[in-house]
Structure formats: C-alpha cells, structure tokens
Amino acid sequence: MNKKGHVLNAALLAIGLGYVLQPSGDVETFRTIAELSVPIVLGALFPDVDTAFGKHRKTLHNLPILAVFLAYPLYFANLQYVWIGVATHYLLDMVGSKRGIALFYPISKTEYGLPTGVTTSSDRADLLTVVITGAELAALAAVQFYLVDLNTGAPRESVATMLTSLPF
C-alpha cells in the first residue's frame, strides 16, 4: 500500500472509531475523532520511515516493533491509539498489497501476505483500502462492545467473569 492509502485508512479509522467510542454524534463524538486522528495517522505512517534507512517492509514492519507501540499507553497516555495506526498499516501491507511484510524480522526475512493484494499503483488500491478499513472498523467495534472497553482498557463484564473463573 502507498502513503496515500495509509493516510486514507487512518483518517477513515479515526472517524469510524470516533463513532464507535462515542456514538451520540454530538460534540463529544467530534472531539473523540480529533483526539484519535493524530495518533492513528502517525502510527499509520511510522512503519514507512524504514524507506529512509534499513530494509523496507522489514526493519519497521514486524511484530517486535508493534509490541513497542502496544506498550505506549503504559508510558504515554496521549498516544494510546498509535498502535492502531501501526497495526492497520501492517494489515494493509499484508492484505492490500502483493508483497507482504516480514512479520518476524530480524529472525526471519520471509515476507507474509495474502493473495488478495494489488500493486500500489493499481486503480483498485483505494477501493481495497476502503474495504479493508470497513473490516478493521467492524473488528474494532466487536472488541469495543464485546471484549474490552477501548477507552479504558477494562475487560467487559462477560470477559472479566471468564477470566476470574480460570484456574490460575
């Protein structure tokens, strides 16, 4: 996927996730969208910094880098949604492009992707980006409503009950 596709994905995710987190459609919804926009767009663009150094789709396109961004909320509360931008960047590169990414770099240089992708210059790239974004929003909405409150990180009641019943 190209930079335009990653920005389109991040902008649509910020808007959609704003409505998932604050569905009222009032000023609070738009405030949430504004708060989400910067960290998600920054996260979506960050992995492509490796075009300036290292090996593109390897150096900053792997699970150890994603783990760093997943830990951001522990240290930087205002960047709690950067990981969404990074994760969706990876998903677009794996599902939306022909090449894939090296998820386990530096251990393995093997690039993983699905055969559903198109070239970055394809006239279908934007349409595929919107379709993938819709699937990402559906997954984030399911997480929000059934598993974990994305605002607080607290598990939903049914998940908390299940976790407390585990034997360890």
Side-chain angles (χ1 to χ4, degrees):
M1 204 48 56
N2 57 28
K3 285 179 181 59
K4 175 186 163 196
H6 289 301
V7 171
L8 174 63
N9 174 256
L12 292 174
L13 275 173
I15 293 167
L17 192 54
Y19 277 97
V20 167
L21 298 176
Q22 296 292 336
S24 60
D26 60 7
V27 173
E28 190 62 30
T29 302
F30 293 103
R31 187 167 95 52
T32 302
I33 292 168
E35 287 177 359
L36 293 171
S37 296
V38 171
I40 291 176
V41 170
L42 287 175
L45 292 174
F46 179 79
D48 281 341
V49 170
D50 69 6
T51 58
F53 70 91
K55 298 177 180 174
H56 184 54
R57 295 211 178 172
K58 289 181 178 56
T59 306
L60 297 176
H61 287 72
N62 56 63
L63 295 177
I65 296 296
L66 181 58
V68 168
F69 283 100
L70 283 169
Y72 259 50
L74 299 173
Y75 301 101
F76 309 106
N78 63 331
L79 295 177
Q80 73 185 55
Y81 293 103
V82 172
W83 70 270
I84 292 175
V86 174
T88 59
H89 181 112
Y90 291 4
L91 189 65
L92 276 178
D93 282 356
M94 288 179 65
V95 177
S97 71
K98 291 214 176 267
R99 184 171 164 196
I101 63 173
L103 280 177
F104 302 104
Y105 187 82
I107 295 167
S108 170
K109 294 180 182 179
T110 303
E111 293 182 354
Y112 298 92
L114 297 177
T116 56
V118 297
T119 61
T120 57
S121 60
S122 170
D123 57 349
R124 296 179 293 157
D126 289 343
L127 174 62
L128 188 56
T129 297
V130 172
V131 169
I132 292 169
T133 304
E136 291 168 339
L137 280 170
L140 286 167
V143 168
Q144 170 68 11
F145 295 122
Y146 300 111
L147 300 176
V148 176
D149 184 336
L150 293 172
N151 287 309
T152 65
R156 295 294 178 193
E157 187 176 328
S158 60
V159 173
T161 303
M162 179 193 69
L163 290 173
T164 58
S165 68
L166 292 174
F168 49 89

